[in-house]
Amino acid sequence: MGDVIKKLPIRSGEDEKPRPMNCYFDTGSPYTFVKKSAAGKLKVIAPLSTPRTFKGLGNGRFKVTHIVYLELKLLGFWCSHYGYVIDDSVIDQDVLAGHDFMQKFNVGLDLRKKKLVLDRASLKRAQTVRNIRKEQGA
């Protein structure tokens, strides 16, 4: 497991001014989380129909009642993802980008240099919704 912290521009839509936020990229977390104070600066927050309980992050248990829509800027691409909104006491950074985000955008970590390993083609490919339809009669 490894982690890298980077300050990145984040917004929740094209009409929103990006804000620099500290992002903790954590290969050990299966999910992406956003501190309540950071999520409150973004426009697109929605309640979950049923609260969800998580275990971990300091060997504790915590409940999530909202999600937030995020766009993080990597190599000039706005990478969209949803994050669970958590109490500020659970994490130190604004955003914890988990394995779900890193796999979606093929983000790797160079732990020795504390850098993100990014691939422009993968970021571009992740922006495209593909139509996978079988040909008629096939």
Side-chain angles (χ1 to χ4, degrees):
M1 290 194 248
D3 56 46
V4 171
I5 298 170
K6 292 291 173 193
K7 188 173 284 249
L8 297 171
I10 296 180
R11 65 184 189 187
S12 55
E14 290 180 21
D15 61 339
E16 187 174 335
K17 182 180 178 185
R19 299 173 182 280
M21 293 190 188
N22 288 322
C23 297
Y24 178 83
F25 290 83
D26 183 5
T27 60
S29 176
Y31 304 106
T32 295
F33 298 99
V34 181
K35 282 171 75 165
K36 189 179 285 186
S37 60
K41 297 174 184 173
L42 300 169
K43 290 182 181 178
V44 185
I45 300 173
L48 293 170
S49 58
T50 304
R52 183 162 178 199
T53 301
F54 290 92
K55 292 185 274 184
L57 291 175
N59 294 322
R61 292 176 73 87
F62 55 96
K63 191 171 282 199
V64 172
T65 59
H66 288 75
I67 58 171
V68 63
Y69 175 73
L70 303 166
E71 292 182 348
L72 286 76
K73 195 169 192 178
L74 299 173
L75 295 181
F77 292 96
W78 286 105
C79 302
S80 63
H81 198 68
Y82 286 92
Y84 291 104
V85 179
I86 58 176
D87 193 66
D88 284 12
S89 63
V90 179
I91 59 173
D92 293 330
Q93 307 303 324
D94 298 316
V95 176
L96 185 155
H99 187 259
D100 57 343
F101 179 87
M102 290 189 281
Q103 184 174 12
K104 181 178 177 180
F105 295 102
N106 193 26
V107 175
L109 304 180
D110 182 333
L111 300 177
R112 277 192 253 167
K113 295 180 181 178
K114 293 292 185 186
K115 291 176 59 174
L116 300 179
V117 178
L118 304 171
D119 177 63
R120 185 172 297 281
S122 293
L123 292 170
K124 184 176 182 178
R125 193 172 33 257
Q127 307 298 321
T128 306
V129 178
R130 293 170 213 40
N131 184 5
I132 303 172
R133 243 181 2 179
K134 291 185 179 182
E135 294 291 325
Q136 276 188 319

